[in-house]
Amino acid sequence: MSSEAPEGRRFRYVSRKRRTKEDRRFIAGQGRFVADISLPGMKHVALVTSPHPAARIEAIRTEEALKIEGVLAVITGEELARATDPLMSGLNLPDVRRFPLAVDRARYAGEWVAAVVADSRYIAEDGAELVEVDYDPLPFVVDAEEAMNEDAPAVHPAHGTNVLYQRKFVYGAVDDDFAAADHRLAFRACWGRSSTVPIETFGVLAEWHPGTGILDVWASIQMPKYPEQIARALRLDANCVRVHYDVDVGGSYGVKRGIKHTVLVGYLARKLGCPVRLIEDRLENMTGGDAHGPERIFDVEAAFNGDGEIRSLRIRALDNVGAYAGRAPLQLAKPIGAIVGPYRINSVEYEAISVTTNKTVQEAVRGFGQSPTNFAIETAVDKIARALDLDRVEIRKRNFIRKDEFPYTIPSGSEYDSGDYLTVQDKVLDLADFPALLARRDALRAEGTLAGIGISSCLEPSGGNAAFEPLFNPANETTTWMESCVTKIDLAGTVTSIMATASAGQGHETLVATVTAEELERDPDGIRVVRSDSLASLPSNSPVASRMAIMLGGAASGAAKILKRKLIDIAAHNLQLPADRLVYEGGNVAVRDDPGKKLAWDELVEIAHRKYHQMPLGMEPGLQASYVWEVPKGGELPDADGRVRMYPCYSFEAHIPLIEIDRDTGQVKILEYFIGHDCGTMINPDIVHGMVYGGIAHGIGAALYEIFAYNEDGQLLTGTFMDYLLPSVHEIPDIKMVDHSTPSPLTSMGQKGTGEGGYLGAPAAVASAVNDALAPLGLELDALPMRPGDIEALLRTKSG
Amino acid sequence: MKPREISVTVNAKHYRSEVPPRLTLLDYLREVLGLTGTHAGCEHGVCGACSVIFDGQPIRSCLMFAIQADGHEVETVEGLAGADGGLSPLQDAFWEAHALQCGYCTPGMLMASHALLRANPDPTEDEIKEAIGGNLCRCTGYQQIVEAVRLAAKRMREADPEAGPEGNKDRVDE
């Protein structure tokens, strides 16, 4: 593993091996997750769920449940809909109304129909068993293409169609490029419905204080504008909701959005006058937690020349968002910001179609739709190579955007900041000893084994400005996605930084401490990082969009720089010298030409906190600074053609796995896995590597094992860990990684995002390897996941 | 059903409690004893987040009732550190290797690895993978976890070359 020093700046703490701030509490069993928080008098919730994919709710009888000792209340959707407003949608869809509990009609099997509140979760479940619901089953549809038929059952009859969003974007001279190209090919690729499935389910605890009129919320949350959305649905002023961000989140990777859960318990806590906690059990999480991921059909057409130059793409993406809209349809929009991948493709047509069906609701998943799109683009590149009998590495090299072409504006309007794709590709080829790897594959083939090498080279857009919101919903004019940090140096000279969001394992405390330490030249181990609550904080947009190294890192840098400037100004005033004759080092300020003459950190702190008479005229006493950073190059609305600058920074990764397929069972075994990775300056290398390894494991799951499968009765078949298969250590190979650093010119230290990392390229790479293994048989498989049964069935078509 | 009285040793402390017969051992540890380091992940015995050591063997505390622990000995993540709060070599290696991200599966991983190293101070990579094969982690891809267990084993052997199974109980200071 090698790490290159970023250009232009030598770091003391950044990019160096250092233990994280967060790990210490977790290894001692002292994390503070939402289920660890108990309040006196706290009550517990269990849910009554619909067994039908679509049904009219005729009656709900609660008398028997209420007879149980310890059951306090049973509430229904009808009651909740009277007292709350519908949950927000990412699209402008007034007739697709969504409440935490089904109102009149259940729209998927597992949807919450009633909630039982009791002294314990055990008693609440007893109560839920005794709630009787009369259903009148209705026709339903679970397939996205069927849902588009005119005679398909309407999931939301008031909306009039199951299509929630449809628009064709044409970026550049697509027809001309297709007409001028030597060749074209077309294919369909499918991304199966999987998700991030954190080991901790979603949980939330709420307590209402009538005396202050504040609803306190502790939740396992990763959601932008969460307090405002809860307040709005509960018909409260936004400053009546106080979300506590000092709750550890047991994994999220996108899905821990929990608005419906929170509105439900917020309502219950207020109605019942006691703290109420809802911790999903695994089945509730998988069926009714509304946390499934994209399920997408891509129809792709590619135009290319005989030398492998890719001229243009036409992509039609049909996504099945499930029974309600939420924020999920926007996952079709984000990939527009990297719609040509790392390639010089001149024009693109992209049609996005979002369809509602009687399946569990989709939520944001790691990469926000980018990983499925990367899979479609990479599948196209592999197919073009195969059609031209061109090497899959070579075709990528011929199409890569060159290092000296950055900043590079793609046809859809986003500008890639920096990159060196050829070098990263070369590095991973070296790491893999590619000729030897090819020889090994061929030796395996010579023994009769189905062996294949995968190639994928993908982008990770990072630090997003949420411009996909106005792109898909003109009523929403969001052009900023800011992040904030407050830092103070106290009277004793110790440093504390305050962030305004919860974290789910991304190491934000380490990030803030490292960046602050770098700017102030103080030891990171001595810097405390805490989390405020939503009322006491400056704005945050939560750790989405692979943005925190960029945005929180930038905010922390900004606050620390203000403090450093203030320390220098105090020294200048007391040394009676202009600031440009002073030098700041390790927190002390000395005279450049006379280093013996200086003011030490402790003296400067003392002046700021106690000796106002020694402060420069008009300077605020104390040492505290806040900084709110806007997304670099954000701030623009899309143009009429849908061109928009969406993400500021683009990380790059090149994957090379070697796999073999068991001819009898169809089981894929990953023999080797190599990755070259470039996220600019790494703040903490251990964190970056961990994210990439974990992202690859997640991607292997999506490629080979994980699926929310439905049967023809509209029932989810994979609601437990016995059948929804998360990879264990036995399925994940030893991953070998090589780093590269092309710093971003737009960020405080050259950093880019990495949290979605490996997941954005691994599914494409594994699919590429499987198809390389199948190629000698003349077989192709373009649907994920590629489960053993799927591959075995395909192999049988050849042997049979 | 009437509550039953049980007597359980947890992390070398003796507890007497009255519990409903249907209370799981997991909920007993968390809700009755306040030992919230042990986590619920799936509650059907697949993910291993609730792993504790029961009479020396790693088990799923979500699949057992508290009353089945009557008269038995349980070890949880809270018992790994020394009385002074010093980390065990295994915990320290998890920190050094950054063998975790969100920390939710970590207590289960630690208990499964702890049981392994107690029985086998010099495990092969396959033996490490076998020991944590029933514990799911969604963050790390397992790589840094395997590395941490290997590092802990190495350091423990170096600290006490004579140590066989059950040998090394040393703590390290931070």
Side-chain angles (χ1 to χ4, degrees):
Chain A
M1 208 173 300
S2 70
S3 188
E4 296 206 344
E7 293 159 10
R9 182 163 179 181
R10 287 190 59 78
F11 293 117
R12 290 179 183 224
Y13 306 114
V14 164
S15 293
R16 295 178 189 272
K17 163 80 186 175
R18 178 171 292 272
R19 291 184 174 204
T20 69
K21 287 229 167 273
E22 295 86 348
D23 290 3
R24 176 64 179 82
R25 64 177 181 270
F26 295 124
I27 52 177
Q30 291 168 357
R32 184 170 178 261
F33 298 94
V34 64
D36 303 339
I37 304 171
S38 271
L39 296 177
M42 183 174 78
K43 305 297 176 191
H44 303 261
V45 180
L47 283 321
V48 178
T49 61
S50 167
H52 303 288
R56 203 179 320 281
I57 299 166
E58 302 283 358
I60 300 178
R61 285 184 295 281
T62 62
E63 301 80 15
E64 292 303 311
L66 288 165
K67 282 181 192 164
I68 297 176
E69 192 184 334
V71 171
L72 242 77
V74 181
I75 71 148
T76 64
E78 197 188 341
E79 175 183 341
L80 203 60
R82 276 198 308 269
T84 63
D85 285 338
L87 308 181
M88 273 179 69
S89 162
L91 301 174
N92 195 10
L93 299 168
D95 294 318
V96 179
R97 288 155 58 91
R98 181 187 184 197
F99 291 93
L101 303 174
V103 183
D104 297 334
R105 177 190 277 255
R107 292 184 168 84
Y108 65 92
E111 183 172 7
W112 302 352
V113 170
V116 180
V117 189
D119 289 342
S120 75
R121 168 76 194 197
Y122 290 75
I123 298 170
E125 288 185 28
D126 292 343
E129 277 184 16
L130 294 183
V131 174
E132 288 180 39
V133 186
D134 293 342
Y135 294 101
D136 178 16
L138 296 166
F140 62 89
V141 60
V142 290
D143 179 86
E145 291 187 296
E146 285 173 22
M148 291 181 74
N149 292 340
E150 272 188 19
D151 57 350
V155 180
H156 295 269
H159 181 62
T161 163
N162 290 325
V163 177
L164 300 179
Y165 184 85
Q166 181 164 16
R167 182 174 172 188
K168 189 184 282 184
F169 300 91
V170 181
Y171 298 118
V174 174
D175 290 342
D176 293 348
D177 284 331
F178 264 82
D182 299 342
H183 309 278
R184 57 175 71 184
L185 61 75
F187 65 94
R188 169 169 279 205
C190 299
W191 178 277
R193 174 174 275 245
S194 57
S195 190
T196 73
V197 193
I199 307 300
E200 181 205 47
T201 60
F202 185 79
V204 54
L205 163 63
E207 181 178 35
W208 172 254
H209 303 270
T212 56
I214 287 179
L215 182 76
D216 274 304
V217 175
W218 296 261
S220 175
I221 193 73
Q222 180 203 0
M223 181 62 165
K225 302 179 168 67
Y226 174 62
E228 293 87 348
Q229 290 188 61
I230 303 163
R232 190 168 135 157
L234 289 172
R235 300 174 185 160
L236 294 169
D237 286 340
N239 64 5
C240 294
V241 173
R242 177 164 57 196
V243 178
H244 297 262
Y245 293 124
D246 56 346
V247 176
D248 292 314
V249 179
S252 173
Y253 334 94
V255 297
K256 292 264 180 79
R257 301 299 172 112
I259 299 289
K260 79 168 187 182
H261 312 59
T262 310
V263 170
L264 174 64
V265 299
Y267 170 76
L268 290 170
R270 210 172 155 199
K271 172 189 162 98
L272 302 173
C274 56
V276 176
R277 192 172 82 183
L278 164 59
I279 308 290
E280 294 175 333
D281 71 15
R282 184 51 63 184
L283 200 59
E284 285 166 349
N285 172 264
M286 303 288 267
T287 57
D290 290 1
H292 288 194
E295 175 185 352
R296 209 165 278 187
I297 299 168
F298 293 98
D299 288 304
V300 182
E301 236 188 310
F304 52 99
N305 286 344
D307 61 358
E309 183 199 353
I310 305 169
R311 302 282 301 259
S312 186
L313 295 174
R314 288 195 179 108
I315 302 173
R316 178 182 186 266
L318 170 61
D319 194 278
N320 182 340
V321 295
Y324 297 93
R327 202 172 158 73
L330 299 175
Q331 297 191 89
L332 280 166
K334 181 243 177 104
I336 289 172
I339 198 65
V340 294
Y343 308 114
R344 289 186 295 205
I345 298 174
N346 195 47
S347 60
V348 179
E349 179 187 293
Y350 179 71
E351 185 176 18
I353 310 167
S354 181
V355 167
T356 181
T357 67
N358 296 103
K359 282 187 176 178
T360 297
V361 181
Q362 187 189 117
E363 194 41 275
V365 159
R366 198 175 207 159
F368 211 60
Q370 192 68 52
S371 194
T373 308
N374 286 350
F375 160 65
I377 295 171
E378 290 302 288
T379 301
V381 176
D382 272 15
K383 284 183 188 295
I384 294 167
R386 213 163 274 131
L388 294 173
D389 198 19
L390 197 64
D391 180 77
R392 287 174 297 156
V393 173
E394 181 57 29
I395 191 171
R396 286 174 168 82
K397 287 187 171 179
R398 288 185 191 175
N399 284 283
F400 277 152
I401 298 162
R402 298 295 191 267
K403 185 183 181 181
D404 56 11
E405 291 177 302
F406 294 96
Y408 183 92
T409 302
I410 64 170
S412 54
S414 280
E415 186 182 276
Y416 295 174
D417 58 333
S418 67
D420 188 355
Y421 308 151
L422 278 169
T423 299
V424 178
Q425 182 80 286
D426 282 343
K427 276 182 150 182
V428 72
L429 290 168
D430 282 351
L431 179 72
D433 190 355
F434 198 64
L437 197 72
L438 283 171
R440 187 169 160 201
R441 178 199 66 182
D442 295 342
L444 284 166
R445 285 180 176 175
E447 291 165 12
T449 303
L450 291 176
I453 290 174
I455 305 286
S456 80
S457 41
C458 298
L459 294 178
E460 178 177 6
S462 50
N465 59 17
F468 47 71
E469 293 187 356
L471 180 62
F472 270 31
N473 181 6
N476 176 345
E477 292 205 341
T478 297
T479 60
T480 180
W481 207 244
M482 74 294 252
E483 193 59 38
S484 67
C485 185
V486 175
T487 296
K488 58 180 192 167
I489 303 167
D490 57 37
L491 172 58
T494 61
V495 179
T496 302
S497 291
I498 306 163
M499 51 187 282
T501 181
S503 304
Q506 304 97 327
H508 299 138
E509 293 165 32
T510 303
L511 163 70
V512 171
T514 307
V515 166
T516 303
E518 189 67 49
E519 300 292 2
L520 292 176
E521 303 178 21
R522 306 294 286 179
D523 182 358
D525 292 347
I527 295 176
R528 174 78 61 190
V529 182
V530 297
R531 297 153 195 279
S532 64
D533 62 63
S534 59
L535 293 184
S537 68
L538 297 174
S540 165
N541 278 290
S542 88
V544 297
S546 203
R547 65 190 288 273
M548 289 312 241
I550 297 167
M551 295 305 301
L552 180 57
S557 267
K561 280 178 182 162
I562 295 171
L563 288 172
K564 183 174 161 182
R565 182 75 230 174
K566 199 166 170 183
L567 290 166
I568 293 170
D569 287 346
I570 293 171
H573 180 71
N574 283 274
L575 294 166
Q576 307 257 303
L577 287 170
D580 60 11
R581 287 192 52 199
L582 305 178
V583 54
Y584 180 99
E585 176 135 22
N588 308 314
V589 182
V591 179
R592 193 183 301 278
D593 316 323
D594 185 5
K597 199 172 166 193
K598 67 175 180 181
L599 278 170
W601 173 268
D602 288 348
E603 295 171 281
L604 295 165
V605 169
E606 179 85 2
I607 291 169
H609 278 280
R610 289 191 194 277
K611 301 177 178 173
Y612 196 61
H613 58 284
Q614 291 188 28
M615 295 276 277
L617 192 65
M619 185 182 275
E620 176 186 272
L623 288 166
Q624 54 285 323
S626 64
Y627 197 87
V628 183
W629 205 37
E630 162 62 342
V631 180
K633 305 224 167 183
E636 285 172 24
L637 286 168
D639 71 14
D641 297 328
R643 284 170 53 91
V644 62
R645 201 194 287 263
M646 216 178 262
Y647 280 68
C649 303
Y650 289 80
S651 299
F652 177 73
E653 56 196 56
H655 299 241
I656 305 181
L658 169 69
I659 64 120
E660 66 177 28
I661 298 173
D662 185 311
R663 280 180 188 270
D664 296 323
T665 64
Q667 173 77 36
V668 172
K669 185 175 179 196
I670 301 175
L671 304 173
E672 299 284 353
Y673 205 110
F674 302 95
I675 178 167
H677 187 259
D678 181 357
C679 61
T681 303
M682 293 190 286
I683 306 294
N684 181 304
D686 281 351
I687 290 178
V688 171
H689 297 148
M691 293 276 187
V692 174
Y693 299 146
I696 290 172
H698 184 187
I700 290 171
L704 296 177
Y705 304 107
E706 299 177 34
I707 180 84
F708 289 111
Y710 283 79
N711 68 7
E712 57 197 21
D713 299 323
Q715 298 292 327
L716 177 65
L717 301 176
T718 52
T720 77
F721 284 175
M722 303 291 275
D723 27 45
Y724 185 97
L725 301 176
L726 299 177
S728 78
V729 71
H730 297 300
E731 283 73 53
I732 303 304
D734 192 30
I735 296 161
K736 298 182 183 74
M737 177 166 174
V738 58
D739 300 322
H740 186 75
S741 174
T742 312
S744 173
L746 305 177
T747 61
S748 58
M749 294 178 175
Q751 71 271 36
K752 302 180 179 182
T754 197
E756 297 164 351
Y759 180 69
L760 297 191
V766 172
S768 170
V770 168
N771 279 301
D772 187 45
L774 295 174
L777 301 177
L779 296 172
E780 283 182 304
L781 187 54
D782 296 321
L784 300 183
M786 299 172 172
R787 292 169 299 177
D790 304 323
I791 295 175
E792 191 260 332
L794 187 67
L795 291 173
R796 241 182 307 129
T797 63
K798 227 32 183 189
S799 62
Chain B
M1 273 188 284
K2 274 196 220 151
R4 301 237 194 118
E5 189 175 282
I6 59 169
S7 165
V8 190
T9 305
V10 181
N11 300 330
K13 271 177 81 174
H14 301 291
Y15 295 92
R16 241 173 218 295
S17 312
E18 280 215 331
V19 297
R22 66 177 175 173
L23 188 73
T24 63
L25 176 59
L26 170 64
D27 285 343
Y28 173 68
L29 293 169
R30 291 179 51 81
E31 307 288 335
V32 179
L33 302 187
L35 297 171
T36 54
T38 305
H39 299 146
C42 65
E43 295 179 284
H44 49 261
V46 180
C47 77
C50 66
S51 298
V52 298
I53 297 178
F54 186 85
D55 291 345
Q57 295 297 319
I59 58 113
R60 317 288 207 207
S61 63
C62 75
L63 290 185
M64 256 186 90
F65 293 116
I67 55 171
Q68 293 173 291
D70 187 24
H72 293 273
E73 206 170 316
V74 178
E75 296 163 71
T76 72
V77 67
E78 287 90 347
L80 287 181
D84 58 354
L87 298 174
S88 75
L90 179 65
Q91 289 172 305
D92 192 67
F94 265 58
W95 194 6
E96 173 70 19
H98 187 49
L100 56 143
Q101 288 173 33
C102 79
Y104 198 77
C105 76
T106 308
M109 285 288 178
L110 283 165
M111 298 320 284
S113 311
H114 182 63
L116 167 72
L117 295 183
R118 197 146 63 178
N120 178 2
D122 192 8
T124 63
E125 184 161 322
D126 282 348
E127 287 168 335
I128 295 172
K129 289 184 172 178
E130 194 58 38
I132 62 166
N135 291 67
L136 296 176
C137 171
R138 194 52 150 173
C139 293
T140 64
Y142 307 100
Q143 190 140 327
Q144 287 151 311
I145 297 174
V146 173
E147 190 184 320
V149 178
R150 206 187 292 125
L151 178 67
K154 177 169 170 281
R155 287 182 175 171
M156 288 161 72
R157 288 196 309 277
E158 284 168 0
D160 185 359
E162 302 299 308
E166 302 287 338
N168 195 328
K169 293 254 164 67
D170 286 351
R171 312 287 177 190
V172 295
D173 295 324
E174 288 170 36

